[in-house]
Amino acid sequence: MKLHIIDTGLFKLDGGAMFGVVPKVLWSKRVEADANNLCNWAARCLLIEDGERLILVDTGLGDKQSEKFFGYYYRSGEATLLDSLRRAGFTRTDVTDVILTHLHFDHSGGAVSYNADRTRTELTFPYARYWSNQAHWDWAIRPNPREKASFLTENILPIRESGQLRLVVPGESPFPGIEFIHVNGHTEQMMLPLITTGSGKFLFASDLFPSAAHLPLAWVMGYDVRPLITMEEKEQVLKRVLAEDITLIFQHDAVHEAAVLQWGEKGITVKETAPLGVFV
């Protein structure tokens, strides 16, 4: 089993939204903000090469929305989903499975694309099965007011209409060597892939730990629908990460791809950060 980082570029989000109740005087020591309080974040995906299966975890923001929509997010960088896939040696027709940790637009936007003349949408990965779970799917297609702006129907409904939607049953996995940790603080039933390889265990942390700066339990995003639950889930997962020597892969950290952790005087801290390739 081989792991590849798939870079889809950077975008900006408000620092206050990303750190919730944590004062800027604290979080700004770890993540730089511009004059508008916006910080750069990665839209990092993961490609898992496992025998005849090529599994993509999340798909970035995509490019379907309007110029006005993307104007709020200040995207930057030259990387795109398909270009990064090509640099890894593959094309969109090679992907057999797409795991969507959850269906917020910055995770699912690239799952569906426009056709060549932008007259209709189609699946970006035409031969892939797309994986969600029933509870999260139902949550996303009937969104609450807090998350409505993050669940975009054009990113979601074409997957079901294609007939290629598949649903993970909590506690089970269709992929040998991949376990799903289901968490409910950020959104209903977000799925974190825990991947076991010959080099060790790797957790794609999605929005439970969007960056290395989010390791402290109380450093919870303002976007989370159940922040107290997030804190409990972070504690449980961190204990397992330490106990099983799991490497974290950060989806949104613009600087750090992956990290190993340690116990320290101040609790659980980063021991080492590096590109994922150092750890695999």
Side-chain angles (χ1 to χ4, degrees):
M1 188 180 290
K2 297 180 180 179
L3 305 182
H4 308 266
I5 290 294
I6 299 297
D7 181 10
T8 71
L10 300 172
F11 66 114
K12 289 189 176 185
L13 292 171
D14 183 82
M18 287 298 288
F19 290 103
V21 299
V22 179
K24 183 178 180 180
V25 68
L26 295 179
W27 63 252
S28 62
K29 296 177 181 178
R30 304 190 184 196
V31 177
E32 184 179 354
D34 66 17
N36 293 317
N37 210 48
L38 297 172
C39 307
N40 267 326
W41 303 98
R44 187 175 293 119
C45 308
L46 182 68
L47 190 67
I48 306 168
E49 190 181 352
D50 187 17
E52 295 183 355
R53 273 183 153 166
L54 189 66
I55 306 162
L56 179 65
V57 183
D58 282 349
T59 62
L61 284 76
D63 62 0
K64 294 188 304 304
Q65 279 67 51
S66 67
E67 183 177 344
K68 179 180 179 181
F69 176 90
F70 285 120
Y72 295 122
Y73 300 104
Y74 302 91
R75 292 188 299 172
S76 62
E78 299 298 321
T80 69
L81 175 61
L82 296 184
D83 283 346
S84 293
L85 193 64
R86 281 191 287 269
R87 283 196 293 272
F90 303 100
T91 70
R92 67 191 191 100
T93 58
D94 295 323
V95 176
T96 62
D97 299 89
V98 176
I99 295 170
L100 296 166
T101 61
H102 59 300
L103 293 163
H104 288 168
F105 71 86
D106 55 320
H107 297 257
S108 67
V112 176
S113 304
Y114 277 118
N115 63 350
D117 57 7
R118 297 182 70 86
T119 57
R120 60 179 175 81
T121 58
E122 58 189 16
L123 295 193
T124 304
F125 306 98
Y127 304 124
R129 292 163 292 188
Y130 283 64
W131 296 89
S132 183
N133 65 77
Q134 190 70 65
H136 183 67
W137 183 268
D138 292 344
W139 182 271
I141 63 174
R142 291 185 288 274
N144 59 76
R146 184 180 179 88
E147 291 181 278
K148 187 174 182 180
S150 292
F151 289 126
L152 307 181
T153 57
E154 60 267 34
N155 291 336
I156 300 172
L157 296 185
I159 300 173
R160 182 176 62 185
E161 292 163 1
S162 73
Q164 292 168 229
L165 175 66
R166 300 291 185 272
L167 300 172
V168 173
V169 176
E172 300 179 7
S173 174
F175 306 102
I178 301 177
E179 174 189 343
F180 291 104
I181 298 175
H182 294 251
V183 290
N184 292 284
H186 179 61
T187 187
E188 180 75 9
Q189 287 289 294
M190 181 169 67
M191 305 191 301
L192 311 182
L194 175 59
I195 307 134
T196 300
T197 76
S199 302
K201 293 184 177 182
F202 299 84
L203 180 66
F204 190 75
S206 190
D207 281 348
L208 183 64
F209 300 103
S211 77
H214 287 87
L215 290 176
L217 298 185
W219 292 44
V220 174
M221 291 190 293
Y223 299 111
D224 286 21
V225 297
R226 305 181 185 103
L228 296 181
I229 298 297
T230 296
M231 291 174 64
E232 294 175 4
E233 291 168 341
K234 288 173 69 172
E235 183 175 24
Q236 293 167 5
V237 171
L238 284 174
K239 287 179 179 178
R240 184 172 178 185
V241 165
L242 266 294
E244 300 181 24
D245 195 23
I246 296 169
T247 299
L248 291 182
I249 302 171
F250 298 117
Q251 185 155 23
H252 290 311
D253 196 312
V255 178
H256 307 295
E257 283 186 5
V260 292
L261 308 183
Q262 64 184 356
W263 287 102
E265 294 181 359
K266 297 183 178 180
I268 297 173
T269 60
V270 171
K271 178 180 180 181
E272 179 186 4
T273 63
L276 179 60
V278 171
F279 300 115
V280 299

